Amino acid sequence: MLNVFFKRFDLFSELEISSIVALFEKRTIGKTDYLVREGENCEEIAFIESGVFRSFYTSESGEELTYCFRFPDDLIGAYSAFITGGKSIESIQAIVPTVVWTIKKKDLDALANTLPQWNTFLKIIAEQQYLELEQRVIQFQRTTAQERYRNLLLNHPTFIQYIPLQYLASYLGITQRHLSRIRKEITF
């Protein structure tokens, strides 16, 4: 699965992909377990082979606010902490049992020094992350909760059934009660 992911970018030879993939370590993460917790250092990123994650932060009042879901065939990490070497401002938790492939920061840095096209790969990933963040902000300003829910249903129909309602409601910026009404109204 990792090989296919890297092939998609059309940047690396088969041999280079094999050497990149060899740096990743397979790990299983149980339901409700964490990849990283708020306040911890983040010294690795992960490729999701299977499962669903949520990224959230805790408000001053202690409420968990889910702002992102990550699905198979995607990278995940507490990027700001990973980049700065500081403590994470978010927690990343498995919603279901997951399988990930992790790579340490030191190995990523070594790739940047040995494969010139690795920096192009990182630029593409950073651009994708930026565009996703921008889309999320605009989505909150221009669409209704019902439209945001419908978008999630259209893009991730298989996985949405695994996400508990309280996380979905938080992600959509609404109450669970409002989410229940929306779910009753939407038909495909």
Side-chain angles (χ1 to χ4, degrees):
M1 199 165 192
L2 264 175
N3 288 7
V4 173
F5 175 76
F6 285 111
K7 281 180 188 176
R8 257 187 280 156
F9 293 91
D10 201 27
L11 292 170
F12 308 106
S13 69
E14 291 290 333
L15 184 60
E16 289 168 334
I17 290 173
S18 293
S19 65
I20 292 167
V21 169
L23 297 172
F24 283 78
E25 181 181 309
K26 188 174 185 176
R27 187 184 333 159
T28 58
I29 299 175
K31 179 180 178 177
T32 73
D33 289 340
Y34 292 83
L35 179 65
V36 66
R37 289 181 188 260
E38 191 172 336
E40 293 179 347
N41 289 346
C42 180
E43 298 183 4
E44 63 186 6
I45 60 169
F47 174 82
I48 305 168
E49 179 177 304
S50 65
V52 179
F53 284 91
R54 75 176 180 120
S55 296
F56 69 95
Y57 63 92
T58 307
S59 70
E60 288 184 18
S61 65
E63 181 183 8
E64 292 180 356
L65 301 168
T66 300
Y67 71 89
C68 178
F69 295 111
R70 286 281 183 243
F71 304 97
D73 202 27
D74 205 355
L75 294 172
I76 189 168
Y79 294 114
S80 61
F82 183 78
I83 292 166
T84 65
K87 305 286 184 197
S88 178
I89 58 172
E90 66 184 303
S91 293
I92 300 173
Q93 183 183 41
I95 294 176
V96 296
T98 63
V99 176
V100 298
W101 292 85
T102 61
I103 186 167
K104 301 287 185 197
K105 184 167 182 22
K106 66 177 180 59
D107 293 325
L108 286 173
D109 293 341
L111 284 170
N113 292 326
T114 58
L115 287 174
Q117 66 272 39
W118 185 255
N119 291 319
T120 303
F121 169 75
L122 293 178
K123 179 181 178 279
I124 292 168
I125 296 298
E127 288 170 348
Q128 289 174 348
Q129 292 294 314
Y130 173 80
L131 292 172
E132 184 178 309
L133 177 62
E134 181 181 66
Q135 180 183 18
R136 178 94 169 115
V137 169
I138 290 170
Q139 202 179 45
F140 259 95
Q141 294 176 341
R142 292 189 175 170
T143 63
T144 65
Q146 186 173 15
E147 290 168 325
R148 292 191 301 272
Y149 181 71
R150 184 175 304 218
N151 185 39
L152 199 56
L153 277 174
L154 288 171
N155 291 315
H156 303 288
T158 306
F159 301 108
I160 199 166
Q161 63 187 320
Y162 301 114
I163 301 172
L165 290 182
Q166 73 264 25
Y167 301 158
L168 272 176
S170 176
Y171 174 77
L172 296 170
I174 58 176
T175 64
Q176 287 185 55
R177 187 173 170 181
H178 189 185
L179 177 57
S180 292
R181 281 195 301 267
I182 288 172
R183 291 175 75 202
K184 288 177 186 172
E185 293 170 6
I186 291 182
T187 57
F188 283 96

